[in-house]
Amino acid sequence: MNRVKQVVKLHSRSAKLWVGVPWAILALNFLISFVIALSLSDEESIHTGSLSSIFIYTFVAGTLTLKESFPFAIGFSIRRRDYFFGTILTVLYVNAASAITLTVLSAIEEATNGWNANLHLFKVEFLSDVSFLGMLGINFSLLIHCFFLGFVISSLHRRWGGLAMYLFFGASLVLGTILTYVMTHFNLWVEFGHWIAHYYLDFFWWMIPVSAIYLFIAYGVLRRAAV
């Protein structure tokens, strides 16, 4: 357990990577959007996609974390299993804090009618009917999914190098092309759109078991990965 705590402490020294950069980007986006919103008339409102920046960065952080900390941790005789569980613990508490903050900001934005400037940045329009706890769960599941997706891709690179990346992205491209062809050939896009419209909330919840699969793969790969 002490080694796991050491890993958590190791990650906490990279607060800039974990917390500073994504929130600085989001704060800058908010400031720019707020100034633009103030210049508009009272009847106009502004909807931005800036919220996506924190999810995209979380994916990037997942790819960078292993590169930045794994060799350092192993060099200090920390077992790979302890590194793995220490990293998971850090990911959970950092992204839980981010999810709570995003959800609270979303609630404030709704209560103040867009910060009194008709600015809609944190409140996602098609999720406007979701409760506070529901939004908290969605934000958290999406954040950890983005991080662990980046983490498992980085684990494959650590284990097998650039060849794994060529195979992974090549297979993803081929699979995507086949899927797109099948959907187009059998005219399934409309039905797929209706399915998404009815069950989009389930889509978010399924990210949790999918993230668990990412972790299972990453753990198996890192056990034999070179430093």
Side-chain angles (χ1 to χ4, degrees), residues 58-143:
T58 301
F59 167 77
V60 175
T63 65
L64 293 177
T65 296
L66 193 65
K67 176 179 179 296
E68 297 292 331
S69 59
F70 183 68
F72 187 77
I74 300 303
F76 274 86
S77 302
I78 293 176
R79 295 181 302 178
R80 293 162 193 255
R81 185 179 65 181
D82 294 330
Y83 171 82
F84 187 76
F85 287 110
T87 301
I88 291 175
L89 191 59
T90 308
V91 171
L92 292 179
Y93 85 73
V94 168
N95 287 293
S98 294
I100 292 171
T101 306
L102 287 175
T103 309
V104 169
L105 289 173
S106 172
I108 294 174
E109 184 173 279
E110 184 178 23
T112 59
N113 193 25
W115 313 97
N116 293 321
N118 289 330
L119 169 62
H120 304 281
L121 190 149
F122 297 100
K123 188 72 176 178
V124 182
E125 191 170 3
F126 75 93
L127 296 174
S128 58
D129 294 334
V130 179
S131 67
F132 181 88
L133 290 179
M135 277 307 304
L136 179 60
I138 288 173
N139 285 328
F140 181 67
S141 61
L142 188 53
L143 283 168

Side-chain angles (χ1 to χ4, degrees), residues 47-66:
H47 296 263
T48 79
S50 302
L51 183 61
S52 61
S53 65
I54 195 167
F55 297 102
I56 294 172
Y57 181 84
T58 301
F59 167 77
V60 175
T63 65
L64 293 177
T65 296
L66 193 65

Side-chain angles (χ1 to χ4, degrees), residues 143-159:
L143 283 168
I144 62 169
H145 178 270
C146 290
F147 186 94
F148 288 134
L149 176 59
F151 190 77
V152 71
I153 291 174
S154 184
S155 300
L156 295 173
H157 182 267
R158 172 63 61 179
R159 176 69 176 87

